[in-house]
Amino acid sequence: MGLVTTRAVVLQTYRYSETSKILRLMTWELGPCSALARGALRPRSRFGGLLEPFVEGEATFYSREGRDLHTLSNFELLRDRRGLDRSITLFTIASVLCELVMRLAPEHGDEELYRTLTAGLDGLHGRAREEAPAIGLEYVWGVVDALGFRPETERCVGCRNPIGATGARFDFEAGGLRCGTCGPIGPELDPAELDTLRVLVSGGAAGRNRGNGRQGRWLAEFIRHHVAEGAQLKSLPFLSRLG
Ligand SMILES: [Zn+2]
């Protein structure tokens, strides 16, 4: 493949030797990639301390067929989102977005997923800490949707009848809502909760999110059962407390 230049977001970094770092990147062109940044930890590194989670740049690396680890040769800053680490809540939500992408993104470029991830990180950056729970749910549902796991909230996952008067339960394993006559599986939603959930999964505005402490838990359960399929995501316990 040779030399590749592509927009890329740093999802996570690992120390490698005394002076180098391994980066997990979400790239525009190739999807998720790993790259070795030689000398990134040296005081006068040409990468200038930029290679931190959430930062986006134009990355150039040498890519060889059949090798998972590329060698980063250049990184031109596009969006510096390092300020997110000033709030533990905003930082953790951003980490949730990155962890989902890192674990579940398809092994090829995915423009919608890339855009959803970066819109979420931009939306979090510069927000007040108090807004974090509401916008957090919205952005995490957005990434779940872009990964192809939007829950069914209009028709029952059992009988396919419209969800409505007979009540609604969230069947996490089946990936959506179940009507009142199809067996009591999962927690029951009242009409307001159903309304909020539908707004959130369709990428709705944060202002309409009337979280009552259960939406975060449902999102975490949905990811655990239906999206991650048993994979332990470090960020799930945090999501449960989001609101
Ligand atoms: Zn049903």
Side-chain angles (χ1 to χ4, degrees), residues 168-197:
R169 285 178 180 272
F170 203 154
D171 182 343
F172 302 114
E173 203 140 356
L177 301 183
R178 189 173 276 283
C179 77
T181 54
C182 274
I185 301 174
E188 196 165 8
L189 288 72
D190 69 27
E193 290 169 334
L194 174 59
D195 187 45
T196 299
L197 181 69

Side-chain angles (χ1 to χ4, degrees), residues 27-193:
T27 70
W28 176 263
E29 287 192 25
L30 305 175
C33 287
S34 294
L36 175 63
R38 286 190 204 280
L41 293 169
R42 287 188 207 279
R44 268 176 254 166
S45 161
R46 67 203 146 124
F47 300 119
L50 277 178
L51 302 177
E52 296 293 335
F54 323 132
V55 172
E56 185 174 6
E58 194 88 8
T60 300
F61 49 80
Y62 295 99
S63 169
R64 260 189 275 163
E65 206 69 53
R67 285 200 53 182
D68 289 337
L69 187 62
H70 310 304
T71 304
L72 191 73
S73 66
N74 196 34
F75 191 87
E76 294 285 337
L77 179 68
L78 292 172
R79 304 279 294 171
D80 186 351
R81 306 187 183 97
R82 282 175 292 180
L84 273 169
D85 60 11
R86 282 196 288 269
S87 153
I88 184 79
T89 311
L90 291 167
F91 178 88
T92 311
I93 297 166
S95 303
V96 172
L97 302 182
C98 289
E99 189 178 14
L100 283 168
V101 169
M102 196 166 69
R103 295 291 199 90
L104 298 160
E107 295 291 320
H108 54 75
D110 184 329
E111 295 180 9
E112 194 206 336
L113 181 58
Y114 190 97
R115 282 205 192 92
T116 306
L117 170 67
T118 51
L121 295 175
D122 281 339
L124 291 166
H125 191 239
R127 285 298 179 105
R129 200 173 37 214
E130 302 72 46
E131 297 174 89
I135 56 175
L137 290 175
E138 183 187 326
Y139 292 143
V140 177
W141 271 122
V143 165
V144 167
D145 184 29
L147 286 165
F149 294 99
R150 185 166 175 168
E152 172 61 75
T153 59
E154 300 305 321
R155 291 184 174 274
C156 170
V157 293
C159 66
R160 306 303 300 159
N161 284 327
I163 293 290
T166 60
R169 285 178 180 272
F170 203 154
D171 182 343
F172 302 114
E173 203 140 356
L177 301 183
R178 189 173 276 283
C179 77
T181 54
C182 274
I185 301 174
E188 196 165 8
L189 288 72
D190 69 27
E193 290 169 334

